[in-house]
């Protein structure tokens, strides 16, 4: 699975636009999910791929980004991991809020280029890794951010075990989620709730309730 030029693909199939619930940040985003999804499968010559999460500002990430921009003390001067970073939205918000260093982690083959382009568009420097961090103990960082990580039951369970281990190691863990089917609030403290603009194509709603939690 080889991508000739992921940055060129992104620039050709998205446009730079402000994030609805965090307009301080602009990202290279697609306007519709089906065309970019089909183009991604064609580019990678592979069918049945997951949605191109990097191409959209999902509601959980928008809520978490909004929280960080409004509550910079959570990340200011700290080392931060943006887990399953996608477009890099949440990590970029952390940098704008004063984080000392942010690394985005994602296994999608387009995410490295997406994060680089979006960080550049927002005049920040964000590191990136494509390693599957769930295969090892969580890294020792001050804060772990996780937006929109509860799409499927097996992955949700695996991620939450990993995040709880990170919390036990001493990292503060912040989660942004629009109360998806497999998301559970037990052991979490609600920090904020937002009404996030999205699209019916992405979330079945034009406005989606999205909450930010801290792992106890």
């Amino acid at each position: 699975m080889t991508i000739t030029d992921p940055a060129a693909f992104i620039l050709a199939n998205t446009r730079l636009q402000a994030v609805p619930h965090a307009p301080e940040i602009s990202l290279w985003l697609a306007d519709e999910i089906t065309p970019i999804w089909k183009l991604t499968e064609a580019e990678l010559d592979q069918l049945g791929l997951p949605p191109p999460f990097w191409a959209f500002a999902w509601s959980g990430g928008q809520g978490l980004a909004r929280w960080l921009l409004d509550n910079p003390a959570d990340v200011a001067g700290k080392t931060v991991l943006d887990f399953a970073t996608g477009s890099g939205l949440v990590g970029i918000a952390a940098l704008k809020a004063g984080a000392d260093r942010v690394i985005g982690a994602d296994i999608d083959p387009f995410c490295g280029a997406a994060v680089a382009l979006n960080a550049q568009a927002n005049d920040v420097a964000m590191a990136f890794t494509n390693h599957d961090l769930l295969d090892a103990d969580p890294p020792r960082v001050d804060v772990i951010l996780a937006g929109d990580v509860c799409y499927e039951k097996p992955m949700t369970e695996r991620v939450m075990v990993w995040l709880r281990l990170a919390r036990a190691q001493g990292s503060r863990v912040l989660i942004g989620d629009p109360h998806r089917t497999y998301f559970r609030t037990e052991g979490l403290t609600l920090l904020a709730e937002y009404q996030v603009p999205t699209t019916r194509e992405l979330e079945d709603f034009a406005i989606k309730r999205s909450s930010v939690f801290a792992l106890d």
Side-chain angles (χ1 to χ4, degrees):
M1 180 165 71
T2 302
I3 309 169
T4 305
D5 190 340
F9 177 88
I10 292 168
L11 293 173
N13 295 290
T14 64
R15 63 184 179 89
L16 190 64
Q17 49 191 296
V19 175
H21 204 61
E24 300 94 323
I25 296 172
S26 292
L27 303 174
W28 291 95
L29 302 174
D31 292 311
E32 297 179 90
I33 192 168
T34 302
I36 190 74
W37 199 342
K38 290 182 177 179
L39 287 167
T40 300
E41 291 184 328
E43 181 73 10
L44 296 176
D45 193 25
Q46 187 175 352
L47 297 176
L49 292 174
F53 294 112
W54 56 269
F56 300 94
W58 300 84
S59 52
Q62 287 198 57
L64 187 47
R66 182 74 268 153
W67 170 264
L68 295 173
L69 292 169
D70 292 344
N71 299 272
D74 256 339
V75 290
K78 297 176 181 177
T79 57
V80 176
L81 171 69
D82 181 16
F83 177 76
T85 186
S87 65
L89 167 60
V90 178
I92 290 168
L95 287 163
K96 284 185 168 289
D100 181 60
R101 182 174 184 269
V102 175
I103 182 168
D106 208 298
I107 59 174
D108 187 297
F110 283 96
C111 280
V115 166
L117 288 169
N118 289 328
Q120 182 182 37
N122 290 278
D123 298 316
V124 296
M126 181 172 162
F128 178 81
T129 179
N130 62 1
H131 292 152
D132 188 346
L133 299 187
L134 296 179
D135 288 337
D137 289 346
R140 302 280 179 163
V141 294
D142 296 319
V143 183
I144 294 181
L145 307 171
D148 297 292
V149 295
C150 296
Y151 282 93
E152 299 174 349
K153 186 176 182 180
M155 180 57 70
T156 298
E157 293 172 349
R158 189 179 178 207
V159 168
M160 291 307 298
V161 167
W162 189 82
L163 291 176
R164 292 188 191 284
L165 178 58
R167 183 72 189 102
Q169 290 180 174
S171 297
R172 179 162 169 78
V173 178
L174 301 179
I175 300 170
D177 196 273
H179 302 269
R180 300 192 194 282
T181 302
Y182 302 112
F183 182 71
R184 298 291 180 267
T185 60
E186 292 85 358
L188 304 178
T189 296
L190 177 65
L191 299 179
E193 186 170 287
Y194 303 104
Q195 298 298 317
V196 177
T198 180
T199 67
R200 293 186 183 278
E201 187 187 26
L202 285 183
E203 302 277 16
D204 297 324
F205 296 94
I207 302 291
K208 188 81 171 179
R209 179 171 69 105
S210 185
S211 300
V212 176
F213 298 86
L215 196 56
D216 295 339

